Amino acid sequence: DDLPDVAQYTDSSKANLEYFQRIWQEEQRKHPTSPSLRRAILKEYFRKTVWLQPLMLAAYTAKVVQSVALGYLINFFEGQNSNGFFWASVLVGCAFIILFAIQHMFLRTWNIGMQFRLACVAAIYDKSLKLSSTASSSSSSGEGGASSSSSFGQVMNLCSNDVERFILAALFANHLIWCPLQSIAVLILGWSMLGPAFAFGWGLLLVVIVPLQSYLSRKFAFYRSRIAAMTDQRVTCASQAVRGARIMKMNGYERRFEERIQDYRRQEMAQIVKANSLKAWNEALFFSSNVIIPVLIFTFHVHVLGRSFTTGDVFTVFTLINILQIEMTKHVSLGVMGVSECYVSIGRIQNFLESPELSKVDNDDAGADDDTPDTNASINVATGAVATGGGGGGRRTPTDGEIIRMSHVNAYWDTDAKKKKTTATNTPPDDIVSHSTMALRDISISFHKGQLVAIIGSVGSGKSALLQTIVQELPITSGSIQRRLDSSSASSISYAPQDTWIMNGTVQENI
């Protein structure tokens, strides 16, 4: 009680999760057939930054006015005007405007990016609690084969890499709107000073260098999406090796796992090298254009047009080109790179959030099948697993003393319950049979209160699949499951898996 809260409630994960769910549900309500998380976040970003636009206007205007004031101040020292103190005051005033406006914009956009980041991490964590242990895009087939290792690697990559893209995108997205407007103002001012020579340098910078940097940024985003997919594979393989370290050592699999992880890492590093090479070219263009463009402008103005310029013109042109170069080749390129990377990351996050969740089973009646199991129901698995102690009776709902009843249940390891489940027949569609691995076939069994049931069968016969179906980890494609869980019989279902989990602590704490 003697320590205050580290963060306010509005900065907490709970508040940001509620905020994320609100904007995502609003998007789903407005576009029920094709909701887009990108569209929802973009609308929310512009809604939060609308009051920053006057600050952006003041900062960009002050930069241009400051360059003009610098030229007139230099001319004052050359004895060409007598308003030196006025232009010095304008120079200092613009510096103050730029300082406070830029810092406020940076702080606010950074907070917005952090809020999106925290909200997405909270949403990813919340979603991961609702996923089945069989919900893995690359799960292996067979009994217990549907591991969540791929989902684990994907979640780790989403929370550690993808969400970080919100920061860069939030900082520089507004520059994609204001930088082109400022470049037009710079062109008008430069034309009034040096005429076609300045337009020549302006066109060279905006027509050649900026599109080239935009191309490099888009290519970087392409490699970023490939790197993210390869990182998922590497993290998944490494997590599998860590969890199965004992079995791996007992069977001498260390070298094979090491070679596989190193191969994933080599592929990932090859893409990282390509992406960093593009970033290096981007930086080279940025630092070289600040010198090359003014030299070409003055060369064209003197040797081609045969005109002269003052010392103030030189300082003003250098400042204008420096402004143009920083905004168009640095801020715009960072904006394009950040937005394009964020575009890819939001798509990955949306795909994860749209993953099928655990199926909901009502306590009294969870199925759509009126068939009831026989009095002495048996497990009819493909490879012949046999159940002992199964019994049951009654009509649609479980009878007295009956806790769980399964009727003609079929399930597959790698199916999407939302797309595959059948309601009118117990025969699964042909596309399920031809493209899926069967886990359970026509299972009918009842479990009674106080009854001990033993399921015996060979490896891969469906024992683990049956347990995962009972606890709703494995969705069914046909048949029905009825449960009666109340205070008089049982309050919940507890499942002790084969893979033990022991936390760092005492035996009493683990119990």
Side-chain angles (χ1 to χ4, degrees):
D1 296 334
D2 57 340
L3 294 177
D5 293 336
V6 177
Q8 300 177 358
Y9 176 74
T10 54
D11 298 330
S12 64
S13 297
K14 180 179 180 181
N16 283 286
L17 175 60
E18 295 173 353
Y19 161 75
F20 181 90
Q21 291 175 340
R22 184 172 64 255
I23 63 174
W24 179 229
Q25 290 171 1
E26 179 69 15
E27 172 67 19
Q28 290 177 318
R29 184 183 65 82
K30 292 183 177 179
H31 305 87
T33 57
S34 59
S36 173
L37 185 59
R38 299 186 181 105
R39 181 170 53 232
I41 291 180
L42 183 64
K43 290 180 180 179
E44 189 67 15
Y45 175 79
F46 283 115
R47 186 187 69 83
K48 285 179 171 289
T49 58
V50 63
W51 69 272
L52 292 176
Q53 306 313 314
L55 290 178
M56 297 285 289
L57 176 62
Y60 276 85
T61 303
K63 288 181 180 181
V64 177
V65 174
Q66 190 180 45
S67 64
V68 177
L70 178 61
Y72 280 108
L73 183 62
I74 296 299
N75 288 335
F76 166 76
F77 290 114
E78 293 290 331
Q80 298 181 15
N81 66 67
S82 58
N83 298 323
F85 289 101
F86 172 76
W87 293 114
S89 301
V90 172
L91 196 67
V92 174
C94 290
F96 273 103
I97 293 175
I98 295 171
L99 173 64
F100 290 107
I102 291 296
Q103 294 305 317
H104 277 81
M105 289 186 300
F106 184 86
L107 176 63
R108 183 54 183 162
T109 52
W110 183 279
N111 287 339
I112 293 173
M114 285 296 296
Q115 184 180 19
F116 286 150
R117 174 182 175 273
L118 290 174
C120 286
V121 171
I124 292 170
Y125 175 75
D126 181 71
K127 179 68 177 184
S128 65
L129 299 179
K130 302 175 182 178
L131 294 179
S132 167
S133 62
T134 64
S136 172
S137 59
S138 58
S139 60
S140 56
S141 60
E143 181 180 356
S147 171
S148 61
S149 57
S150 292
S151 295
F152 171 78
Q154 184 186 14
V155 170
M156 290 297 296
N157 199 20
L158 289 174
C159 292
S160 60
N161 292 327
D162 289 272
V163 296
E164 295 295 334
R165 312 303 160 186
F166 286 105
I167 306 296
L168 185 63
L171 287 174
F172 295 100
N174 280 314
H175 293 273
L176 298 177
I177 300 174
W178 286 100
C179 287
L181 299 177
Q182 187 188 44
S183 65
I184 296 175
V186 169
L187 174 63
I188 296 174
L189 182 60
W191 182 279
S192 65
M193 296 176 57
L194 297 182
F198 189 87
F200 168 74
W202 184 91
L204 182 64
L205 183 64
L206 267 67
V207 176
V208 178
I209 296 180
V210 172
L212 181 59
Q213 287 195 310
S214 299
Y215 169 76
L216 294 177
S217 298
R218 289 194 300 270
K219 291 293 291 183
F220 181 82
F222 168 75
Y223 286 116
R224 166 73 185 89
S225 61
R226 298 184 63 178
I227 292 171
M230 294 177 180
T231 303
D232 286 346
Q233 290 181 331
R234 178 176 57 83
V235 173
T236 296
C237 189
S239 63
Q240 289 174 343
V242 171
R243 286 201 301 271
R246 183 174 63 179
I247 298 177
M248 183 175 62
K249 289 180 177 293
M250 292 175 60
N251 291 275
Y253 292 158
E254 301 99 318
R255 184 60 57 85
R256 296 193 60 181
F257 264 92
E258 180 183 3
E259 292 175 353
R260 180 177 296 180
I261 294 174
Q262 288 180 350
D263 183 61
Y264 287 144
R265 185 58 178 167
R266 279 193 296 268
Q267 298 177 16
E268 184 182 4
M269 284 300 300
Q271 303 301 319
I272 292 175
V273 168
K274 293 179 180 179
N276 287 339
S277 298
L278 296 177
K279 292 183 67 174
W281 279 106
N282 223 346
E283 293 295 323
L285 286 173
F286 170 74
F287 288 107
S288 61
S289 60
N290 193 30
V291 177
I292 295 175
I293 298 300
V295 170
L296 293 176
I297 289 176
F298 294 129
T299 302
F300 186 84
H301 186 73
V302 174
H303 295 284
V304 178
L305 301 179
R307 300 177 182 177
S308 60
F309 49 83
T310 64
T311 306
D313 293 338
V314 173
F315 278 87
T316 300
V317 169
F318 263 100
T319 305
L320 291 176
I321 292 299
N322 186 46
I323 294 172
L324 197 63
Q325 176 244 359
I326 290 176
E327 300 296 341
M328 297 302 297
T329 64
K330 189 68 173 179
H331 292 166
V332 169
S333 63
L334 286 175
V336 172
M337 183 173 63
V339 171
S340 57
E341 287 183 353
C342 191
Y343 182 87
V344 174
S345 297
I346 294 176
R348 286 165 49 83
I349 293 173
Q350 181 176 348
N351 289 336
F352 177 78
L353 295 179
E354 292 178 344
S355 301
E357 299 180 359
L358 286 170
S359 58
K360 302 297 182 181
V361 176
D362 298 332
N363 287 345
D364 288 334
D365 187 7
D369 194 338
D370 290 331
D371 294 343
T372 59
D374 297 333
T375 303
N376 296 314
S378 63
I379 297 181
N380 183 15
V381 188
T383 53
V386 179
T388 63
R395 297 296 299 169
R396 183 173 177 78
T397 58
T399 60
D400 294 337
E402 194 175 23
I403 303 300
I404 301 173
R405 184 173 61 183
M406 304 174 65
S407 301
H408 304 289
V409 170
N410 291 286
Y412 295 82
W413 283 120
D414 45 359
T415 58
D416 185 343
K418 294 188 298 183
K419 298 179 180 178
K420 305 294 186 180
K421 186 170 181 178
T422 58
T423 57
T425 177
N426 282 334
T427 304
D430 293 336
D431 59 340
I432 297 182
V433 177
S434 59
H435 297 92
S436 305
T437 303
M438 172 162 280
L440 299 174
R441 177 185 296 169
D442 196 23
I443 302 300
S444 297
I445 188 172
S446 296
F447 300 95
H448 290 73
K449 180 181 177 181
Q451 185 182 33
L452 175 64
V453 180
I455 302 173
I456 305 170
S458 60
V459 175
S461 60
K463 303 183 298 298
S464 297
L466 177 63
L467 293 177
Q468 292 191 11
T469 302
I470 292 175
V471 297
Q472 306 174 44
E473 288 287 335
L474 182 63
I476 65 174
T477 56
S478 62
S480 64
I481 302 177
Q482 293 95 40
R483 304 193 320 180
R484 174 179 291 169
L485 302 178
D486 50 39
S487 58
S488 62
S489 57
S491 59
S492 63
I493 292 180
S494 178
Y495 174 50
Q498 293 173 316
D499 298 329
T500 59
W501 180 79
I502 302 177
M503 68 178 183
N504 187 16
T506 64
V507 175
Q508 182 179 2
E509 291 171 345
N510 275 273
I511 295 175

